[in-house]
């Protein structure tokens, strides 16, 4: 199932309240690209993020026929570098109009100074190594707390959290990681029991 990478297109005419809403909604890993202009610098400073100046985003009086496609290429180049971070584009209204005609031709333009575009992307890959390591750590924790808690409590809580996270589009990978960790922890616990003196068939 696909979800979407957010591309936030912000006009250099955005006021402080609009920029504050964008700042509150983006993650710390967001990348900001901007026209190298005074208005663009103002918006970037209010966003509180380091920006990547792109000369192509600067306003031009007589745009080339393919300017919209070149703008689209610039934005997508920054987007594909990491499909799981937000991208903020700061430019003048005329440049934004040309960009959106190519980047999101089927999307109606927003009436305000901020337009959000979603680029389809595949699901985030599950970090199998980390999930397995978390499963081993969970098994060790279950063993350490076995005198205070029933051995099923922690795996059950982790499994429940994983199921909940599976329902959240942006957190499915984390839910899958938790469920893998639970399976690994159960396997490690069973091996530990089988190798212990408490198991009837142990050596």
């Amino acid at each position: 199932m696909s979800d979407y990478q957010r591309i936030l297109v912000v006009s250099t005419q955005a006021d402080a309240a609009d920029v504050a809403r964008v700042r509150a909604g983006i993650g710390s890993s967001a990348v900001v690209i901007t026209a190298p202009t005074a208005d663009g610098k103002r918006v970037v400073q209010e966003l509180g993020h380091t920006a990547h100046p792109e000369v192509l985003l600067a306003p031009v009086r007589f745009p080339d026929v393919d300017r919209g496609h070149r703008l689209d290429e610039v934005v997508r180049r920054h987007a594909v570098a990491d499909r799981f971070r937000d991208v903020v584009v700061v430019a003048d209204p005329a440049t934004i109009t040309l960009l959106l005609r190519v980047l999101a031709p089927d999307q109606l333009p927003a009436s305000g100074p901020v337009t959000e575009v979603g680029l389809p992307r595949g699901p985030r890959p599950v970090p199998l190594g980390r999930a397995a390591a978390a499963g081993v750590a969970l098994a060790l924790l279950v063993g350490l707390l076995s005198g205070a808690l029933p051995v099923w409590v922690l795996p059950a809580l982790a499994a429940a959290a994983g199921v909940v996270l599976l329902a959240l589009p942006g957190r499915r990978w984390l839910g899958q990681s938790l469920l893998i960790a639970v399976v690994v922890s159960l396997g490690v616990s069973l091996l530990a029991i089988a190798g212990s003196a408490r198991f009837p068939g142990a050596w």
Side-chain angles (χ1 to χ4, degrees):
M1 184 181 295
S2 297
D3 59 1
Y4 296 90
Q5 178 180 20
R6 293 199 311 160
I7 310 294
L8 297 164
V9 185
V10 183
S11 170
T12 50
Q13 296 181 353
D15 60 25
D18 294 317
V19 177
R21 281 191 290 272
V22 174
R23 184 178 65 243
I26 61 177
S28 59
S29 64
V31 61
V32 179
I33 59 176
T34 180
T37 62
D39 288 334
K41 182 179 180 180
R42 173 190 63 82
V43 173
V44 168
Q45 287 176 337
E46 292 177 0
L47 283 173
H49 277 254
T50 301
H52 301 271
E54 287 287 352
V55 175
L56 190 61
L57 292 174
V60 297
R61 184 171 297 180
F62 302 107
D64 297 333
V65 175
D66 65 340
R67 177 168 169 76
H69 291 280
R70 289 189 291 122
L71 292 168
D72 177 73
E73 290 174 0
V74 168
V75 173
R76 289 181 185 271
R77 171 162 49 83
H78 286 278
V80 299
D82 185 347
R83 298 307 309 274
F84 298 95
R85 66 181 178 187
D86 296 331
V87 177
V88 181
V89 183
V90 181
D92 65 283
T95 298
I96 287 174
T97 299
L98 292 174
L99 169 64
L100 293 178
R101 285 178 183 172
V102 180
L103 183 65
D106 300 327
Q107 180 172 323
L108 294 175
S111 58
V114 180
T115 301
E116 182 174 329
V117 176
L119 295 183
R121 67 183 176 193
R124 184 189 288 267
V126 177
L128 296 177
R130 292 182 182 180
V136 173
L138 179 60
L140 293 174
L141 187 60
V142 168
L144 290 173
L145 299 179
S146 60
L149 288 174
V151 294
W152 57 267
V153 172
L154 291 179
L157 290 175
V163 171
V164 171
L165 289 170
L166 285 177
L168 303 177
R171 294 291 182 267
R172 288 194 189 96
W173 67 275
L174 187 54
Q176 293 169 337
S177 298
L178 278 174
L179 293 178
I180 291 172
V182 170
V183 172
V184 171
S185 71
L186 292 176
V188 171
S189 297
L190 289 175
L191 288 175
I193 293 172
S196 69
R198 292 177 297 173
F199 192 69
W203 290 94

Coordinates of all heavy atoms in Angstrom, one line a residue, residues 7 45 97 160 196 198:
I7 N 5.0 17.5 0.1 CA 5.7 18.7 -0.4 C 4.9 19.9 -0.1 O 3.8 20.1 -0.5 CB 5.9 18.6 -2.0 CG1 6.4 17.2 -2.4 CG2 6.8 19.7 -2.5 CD1 7.8 16.9 -1.9
Q45 N 14.0 32.0 7.6 CA 14.4 32.3 9.0 C 13.2 32.1 9.9 O 13.4 31.6 11.1 CB 14.8 33.8 9.0 CG 16.2 34.0 8.4 CD 16.6 35.5 8.4 OE1 15.7 36.4 8.5 NE2 17.9 35.8 8.3
T97 N 3.0 28.8 -9.3 CA 2.0 28.5 -10.3 C 2.6 27.6 -11.4 O 2.0 26.5 -11.7 CB 1.4 29.7 -10.9 OG1 0.8 30.5 -9.9 CG2 0.3 29.4 -12.0
A160 N 0.5 -5.5 21.1 CA -0.6 -4.6 21.1 C -0.2 -3.3 20.5 O -1.0 -2.7 19.6 CB -1.3 -4.4 22.4
S196 N 17.6 -24.9 29.4 CA 17.8 -24.7 30.9 C 17.5 -26.0 31.6 O 16.9 -27.0 31.0 CB 16.9 -23.6 31.4 OG 15.5 -24.1 31.4
R198 N 15.4 -26.4 33.8 CA 14.0 -26.6 34.1 C 13.2 -27.4 33.0 O 12.2 -27.9 33.3 CB 13.4 -25.2 34.2 CG 13.8 -24.4 35.4 CD 13.2 -23.0 35.5 NE 13.7 -22.2 34.3 CZ 13.2 -21.0 34.0 NH1 12.2 -20.5 34.8 NH2 13.6 -20.4 32.9

